Amino acid sequence: MSTIQTVTETLIRLVKQVIHPDTVLVFADDLFEVHNTPSVILQGPKLTEDRLRRSQARLFEKDTADLSFEECRFPRLYHLDFDLVVTVDREAELLQFHEAVSRFIQFNTVIPIADKGELNLTELVPLGGLARVNLSNLRQSSGRLRIESCPVYDGEIRNGHLIRGRTFQFHGDVNETQTLQP
């Protein structure tokens, strides 16, 4: 499964659990009509590469119990930006969502990703900070969230065996052979 898909699904589940249970994901630049209020929309992700952390190094993971290793290229790291759009009927309800989103950001500074560790979650623009075209009588507010440095691997993995024993031979004035075990 794709890392970007896993991270996006984890964010959606977390927002549904903490902010609003009917949160939906809409891809960037797609039109979406709100039928029921309150409505919470995550629009995105918009990807930007974290170029400062690009590396030509290779990753090695060794399994000493099986005396084997896996090797792959260092992953590309991408920031995933999501616009958060809240639509409600009344201003008081909108203010409650402002507070709920602020609390969400304060308590969820990292997003745990199964078997992959954690990724930072930051608020780029607070809810109410982005201008929106609103052609209805409903109250809307939007902000922007970012999941930082999501790794994307190339999928090429090389497997191999670790060295089981080493034999050193010294020649010259002294002839000696030593075998070292792991």
Side-chain angles (χ1 to χ4, degrees):
M1 183 183 285
S2 166
T3 307
I4 293 174
Q5 180 179 351
T6 304
V7 170
T8 302
E9 289 172 352
T10 303
L11 177 65
I12 293 169
R13 280 192 295 275
L14 192 58
V15 170
K16 281 185 174 192
Q17 179 184 1
V18 177
I19 297 175
H20 192 267
D22 294 328
T23 301
V24 295
L25 175 70
V26 177
F27 289 103
D29 301 327
D30 279 356
L31 296 175
F32 184 78
E33 185 176 342
V34 173
H35 297 287
N36 299 322
T37 58
S39 168
V40 177
I41 299 169
L42 279 173
Q43 192 169 20
K46 295 175 189 170
L47 276 70
T48 54
E49 185 180 0
D50 189 357
R51 292 182 184 201
L52 297 175
R53 295 185 61 198
R54 186 186 288 185
S55 174
Q56 298 299 320
R58 299 190 69 78
L59 293 177
F60 289 90
E61 185 173 315
K62 61 182 179 175
D63 184 2
T64 54
D66 291 338
L67 290 173
S68 64
F69 72 90
E70 289 184 348
E71 171 194 11
C72 67
R73 287 189 183 124
F74 193 81
R76 292 281 175 99
L77 302 173
Y78 293 94
H79 298 313
L80 309 179
D81 293 346
F82 296 88
D83 287 350
L84 181 67
V85 182
V86 175
T87 307
V88 295
D89 292 326
R90 299 181 330 267
E91 290 86 358
E93 205 173 8
L94 187 59
L95 293 174
Q96 291 171 356
F97 272 102
H98 279 254
E99 191 170 331
V101 171
S102 293
R103 262 186 271 142
F104 172 77
I105 295 297
Q106 287 175 357
F107 287 117
N108 297 289
T109 57
V110 294
I111 294 182
I113 308 302
D115 300 331
K116 297 193 188 307
E118 297 175 333
L119 295 175
N120 290 336
L121 175 66
T122 58
E123 183 179 46
L124 293 180
V125 179
L127 190 63
L130 289 178
R132 294 221 31 102
V133 176
N134 187 358
L135 303 175
S136 67
N137 290 332
L138 301 173
R139 308 300 176 257
Q140 274 191 340
S141 192
S142 61
R144 185 165 292 146
L145 306 175
R146 171 177 277 180
I147 298 175
E148 296 180 352
S149 302
C150 177
V152 177
Y153 295 88
D154 65 0
E156 294 180 18
I157 298 174
R158 189 176 75 134
N159 296 315
H161 297 287
L162 294 175
I163 297 172
R164 184 176 205 121
R166 297 169 298 268
T167 302
F168 297 97
Q169 295 180 348
F170 302 99
H171 297 281
D173 289 344
V174 176
N175 290 332
E176 181 180 341
T177 301
Q178 290 185 4
T179 301
L180 304 173
Q181 297 298 325

